[in-house]
Amino acid sequence: GAVVSQHPSWVICKSGTSVKIECRSLDFQATTMFWYRQFPKQSLMLMATSNEGSKATYEQGVEKDKFLINHASLTLSTLTVTSAHPEDSSFYICSARVSREKLFFGSGTQLSVL
Amino acid sequence: AQTVTQSQPEMSVQEAETVTLSCTYDTSENNYYLFWYKQPPSRQMILVIRQEAYKQQNATENRFSVNFQKAAKSFSLKISDSQLGDTAMYFCAFMKPNNNDMRFGAGTRLTVKP
């Protein structure tokens, strides 16, 4: 079946630094990928839709300059958390569209900002 | 905007028994997809079952089945012969066919007791 690889699985960084998270579709091409954020014991909240070759579409309330998304190829989307602060600590999950009604999820990245 | 409501934050069931998780949603769309995802402690999102709104027949996957009531906008998940490995967070999700971003309910934490 389709596999979505997300890396790293966890990262600890200092406040003020930037962190990049990668989401790769391993055996299919994904023109559209999605980035979600999940706080402890809460649901997944869509942050943005990543479109290959064009600008990402951000959900209301998500800072574009804070969460930079790049989808430069059909198999890779990256999320960069810039100037990270402790309140950015969260679990970030990507997903990729395989077909009209199928999405596959990455394994997630736990970000801890000290 | 579409909303998904899961009114049961936590549920428990004895091993081998049957449990039903509730989900309601609100949409003005006529065609859409509904999903149940399982998130175990590993936090990997695992697709449990999928229902297409234009299909009247309830979806079934082994021990998992749904009761889809389109007019009532209800989409409950029944787990039969519950197993210890079913212990997880369960999320109900809604997706329109043309844009693929998935909206999740708040989740239900299910515990299967031995």
Side-chain angles (χ1 to χ4, degrees), chain A residues 32 34 36 38 41-44 46 49 59 91 93 97 99-108 110, chain B residues 31 33 35 37 39 42-45 50 91 95 97-107 109:
Chain A
T32 305
F34 303 91
Y36 292 84
Q38 186 179 28
K41 298 185 179 180
Q42 293 189 24
S43 188
L44 282 73
L46 181 67
T49 301
E59 294 298 300
F91 190 64
I93 308 177
R97 174 181 138 186
S99 64
R100 182 179 170 84
E101 76 280 6
K102 286 187 180 179
L103 291 180
F104 283 89
F105 286 84
S107 54
Q110 177 62 50
Chain B
N31 191 24
Y33 299 99
F35 305 82
Y37 276 89
Q39 189 181 42
S42 68
R43 293 193 285 187
Q44 174 72 56
M45 295 293 284
R50 177 178 62 242
F91 292 101
M95 185 172 77
N98 294 326
N99 66 8
N100 286 125
D101 69 86
M102 191 173 282
R103 307 288 171 158
F104 291 87
R109 182 172 299 280

Side-chain angles (χ1 to χ4, degrees), chain B residues 12-23:
Chain B
S12 63
V13 62
Q14 290 296 133
E15 195 175 6
E17 297 294 310
T18 295
V19 64
T20 298
L21 308 183
S22 301
C23 173

